[in-house]
Amino acid sequence: MRAHPVITMDGPAGSGKSSTAREVARRLGYRHLDSGALYRALTFALLSSDLVEDSWPTLPREAFDRFPIRLRPAGAVFQVLLGDRELTDELRTPDVTSRVSPLSAIPAVREWLLDAQREAGKEGALVADGRDMGTVVFPDAEVKIFLTAELNERASRRFLERKGNTPSSQELEVEAGKIQERDDRDSGRSVAPLRKPDGAMEVDTSYLTFEEQVEVILNHVKSLTTR
Ligand code: CDP
């Protein structure tokens, strides 16, 4: 038994998972786990190594032991470390973003990253966001959320986040194409595909403000954890 609840937040790219999970965790005094950062860290480590990309899908799980990737609790978040180095901006470069989804479909990769994620949730008081938090990593979570938003809305948010301005219709189309490709891959893979976990509450954030979506989720958490 955990001392405190685990809240999972799964959903497609750009649905607002990470920012919402961070704020929900902050308001509850919980810690936030961005599981995508672990997949991105391994992608970054592989890209910086001598292991050629073509070989990644056939690497055994032990092959990743050479990469000292770990989570370090730091206040309301977990830092992602590679050795002594904290990884931040390196995790969101176009090189990493374009390779992280194919890498995440490899069963050995998912197995290798499982222990670190479960360890982070051992005591509870955690809000974990990703693709398989409620289905595979924390199937026994007390609260499960599935966050969605319309494709164009997600693409527009992502563009704004990266470039600081709203996209033209052509830019929006390109961004939406990239997001759709990643979603298709994440939902279509045979291991831990992105799907709404049983018992999860679905929140479509297309027409909600950030504050509204945080409130909807906090109310749901309260209704399930104060019974
Ligand atoms: O922030 P965004 O939704 O764009 O991506 P992310 O959460 O950083 O995740 C990057 C990629 O890692 C996803 O597209 C998935 O391929 C993979 N991922 C996964 O397979 N399982 C998770 N629990 C989290 C991320």
Side-chain angles (χ1 to χ4, degrees):
M1 267 301 274
R2 286 186 288 261
H4 303 282
V6 166
I7 300 169
T8 62
M9 214 173 283
D10 292 303
S15 55
K17 294 181 307 292
S18 281
S19 49
T20 309
R22 199 176 317 121
E23 181 60 13
V24 168
R26 195 185 70 77
R27 301 247 197 123
L28 293 170
Y30 288 8
R31 196 167 271 141
H32 170 222
L33 169 66
D34 171 6
S35 64
L38 281 172
Y39 288 89
R40 288 175 179 274
L42 184 57
T43 309
F44 172 78
L46 278 161
L47 281 172
S48 317
S49 78
D50 56 356
L51 294 169
V52 292
E53 208 174 325
D54 285 350
S55 73
W56 298 356
T58 56
L59 292 172
R61 180 182 158 167
E62 304 73 53
F64 305 117
D65 290 345
R66 65 194 273 193
F67 302 120
I69 293 172
R70 64 191 172 93
L71 294 171
R72 180 165 68 189
V77 297
F78 286 96
Q79 295 171 335
V80 180
L81 301 184
L82 178 61
D84 291 335
R85 174 178 175 190
E86 184 189 358
L87 300 177
T88 55
D89 293 345
E90 302 85 335
L91 300 182
R92 304 207 77 89
T93 63
D95 270 353
V96 168
T97 300
S98 66
R99 290 169 176 89
V100 61
S101 183
L103 184 77
S104 304
I106 301 168
V109 165
R110 306 201 72 83
E111 280 167 31
W112 190 73
L113 287 173
L114 197 55
D115 287 350
Q117 297 172 77
R118 294 228 169 110
E119 178 69 25
K122 218 173 45 182
E123 306 291 332
L126 184 80
V127 185
D129 86 77
R131 303 294 187 289
D132 63 343
M133 297 296 99
T135 52
V136 175
V137 181
F138 301 111
D140 59 346
E142 285 77 1
V143 184
K144 300 183 183 184
I145 309 288
F146 193 68
L147 224 54
T148 61
E150 288 166 10
L151 177 63
N152 276 353
E153 180 57 32
R154 295 189 281 119
S156 175
R157 288 179 194 167
R158 267 296 141 92
F159 190 92
L160 182 64
E161 202 174 84
R162 237 189 19 255
K163 309 261 175 154
N165 61 289
T166 47
S168 66
S169 56
Q170 206 185 351
E171 287 166 331
L172 185 65
E173 208 177 305
V174 173
E175 189 73 28
K178 281 194 267 182
I179 287 191
Q180 182 74 63
E181 194 187 330
R182 191 143 64 90
D183 286 351
D184 289 348
R185 209 182 257 128
D186 290 343
S187 310
R189 68 188 175 207
S190 53
V191 284
L194 168 66
R195 66 172 176 80
K196 181 178 165 180
D198 291 340
M201 177 175 81
E202 181 162 347
V203 181
D204 183 338
T205 67
S206 308
Y207 304 104
L208 294 179
T209 63
F210 183 70
E211 183 55 31
E212 284 167 342
Q213 71 207 37
V214 169
E215 283 293 328
V216 166
I217 292 165
L218 284 173
N219 286 336
H220 183 59
V221 171
K222 256 182 231 140
S223 75
L224 289 183
T225 55
T226 54
R227 278 188 294 189

